[in-house]
Amino acid sequence: MSRPSFREKILDAGVAVLHERGYFACGVREITEAAGVPLGSFTNHFRSKEMFVALVLDRYMDGLLEIVARTLRDRSREPLARIASYFDAVEGIAGPLEWRFGCMVANLGLELSMHSEMARARLMTALEQLTDSFAEAIREAQERGQARTDIGAEDLAMIVLSGWHGALLRAKVERRGDAPLMFARTLPLLLRAVTCKPEKLQPTVMTNVERQTHPEISTFEIAGGLIRGGP
């Protein structure tokens, strides 16, 4: 197998460095040092840092869409379980890192939406891809009578994704997973049909003891309550 090219090394390092530090807090030197390549290699492969960040977003989204493919778009599962599995997959990655990095799409959206039309256009595409994936699962749940229909699937998907990104931002600041877990705890209340009896909408948060006793059960399945063992 051939070794990765300098271009590939720089892109891989760019995903890691930009995710951790953001756009304005890191320079080309930090990126090439992380990649282990000469500084001049950057300009040999990328015309500008702005163009580079668009390519980094593409690479980041490739990884995120792999998670989407095996969770939100996994039709072997019930639609609400697919949504839960997506959040659980992210928790499995972000939890051990103390939730320090958040979502690159949301992070760069805060930094670049007012400064780079190229980056903003790519971020819009990323948000549309994620929203469409959530909407597909929600729409299927609506068709099965498992989710509320008084709000359209696309609107619910936008609400879900916006809330999730907000929870990730707070978790990044606090460096703990309280906000994402609270999001998971309340999300089923939002998605379930409005005719469900209130007394049945009582999700519980997975405790550390439950984690150790039942490692095979998803944190978000427990936190969601209504997705696993609910009405």
Side-chain angles (χ1 to χ4, degrees):
M1 182 180 295
S2 61
R3 292 182 298 176
S5 66
F6 280 4
R7 182 180 186 277
E8 294 301 302
K9 287 183 176 181
I10 295 170
L11 282 171
D12 286 341
V15 172
V17 174
L18 285 171
H19 199 182
E20 179 178 357
R21 304 182 193 177
Y23 182 81
F24 292 114
C26 72
V28 170
R29 182 179 299 277
E30 287 82 5
I31 294 168
T32 53
E33 285 179 354
V37 302
L39 179 62
S41 300
F42 187 93
T43 53
N44 290 339
H45 294 286
F46 309 101
R47 286 186 293 178
S48 67
K49 188 181 175 185
E50 183 184 32
M51 178 171 287
F52 173 71
V53 77
L55 294 172
V56 165
L57 274 168
D58 286 340
R59 182 149 300 194
Y60 176 81
M61 283 302 298
D62 286 344
L64 197 54
L65 290 176
E66 287 181 6
I67 297 175
V68 167
R70 66 175 187 264
T71 56
L72 291 173
R73 295 190 181 276
D74 178 8
R75 291 186 173 274
S76 68
R77 307 185 193 193
E78 290 291 316
L80 295 184
R82 285 165 19 208
I83 294 172
S85 69
Y86 174 82
F87 296 130
D88 192 57
V90 175
E91 192 266 348
I93 297 169
L97 299 174
E98 298 179 328
W99 302 88
R100 287 179 295 173
F101 304 134
C103 172
M104 183 185 287
V105 175
N107 294 348
L108 293 182
L110 288 172
E111 283 194 278
L112 296 178
S113 59
M114 296 293 292
H115 302 284
S116 169
E117 278 302 308
M118 182 186 299
R120 192 179 75 85
R122 185 63 191 92
L123 288 163
M124 286 287 292
T125 299
L127 289 171
E128 288 168 2
Q129 290 174 305
L130 292 170
T131 302
D132 288 348
S133 298
F134 277 104
E136 178 182 304
I138 292 170
R139 190 176 300 109
E140 185 176 335
Q142 290 174 329
E143 291 169 353
R144 297 185 182 194
Q146 298 170 351
R148 64 193 302 163
T149 56
D150 59 323
I151 302 175
E154 292 79 8
D155 290 342
L156 278 172
M158 186 180 297
I159 293 168
V160 169
L161 187 59
S162 298
W164 178 242
H165 282 161
L168 290 178
L169 176 60
R170 180 159 184 159
K172 181 179 178 180
V173 173
E174 296 176 339
R175 294 195 179 180
R176 62 176 188 264
D178 293 5
L181 287 174
M182 179 60 71
F183 179 86
R185 179 182 176 184
T186 57
L187 179 60
L189 307 181
L190 169 67
L191 293 181
R192 292 292 290 189
V194 293
T195 56
C196 288
K197 294 181 180 179
E199 63 268 23
K200 291 187 178 181
L201 302 180
Q202 300 296 329
T204 57
V205 175
M206 184 182 235
T207 66
N208 289 333
V209 173
E210 287 172 329
R211 277 179 176 273
Q212 295 169 4
T213 307
H214 303 288
E216 77 284 359
I217 299 178
S218 153
T219 297
F220 286 94
E221 286 174 330
I222 290 290
L226 300 173
I227 293 171
R228 189 182 184 94

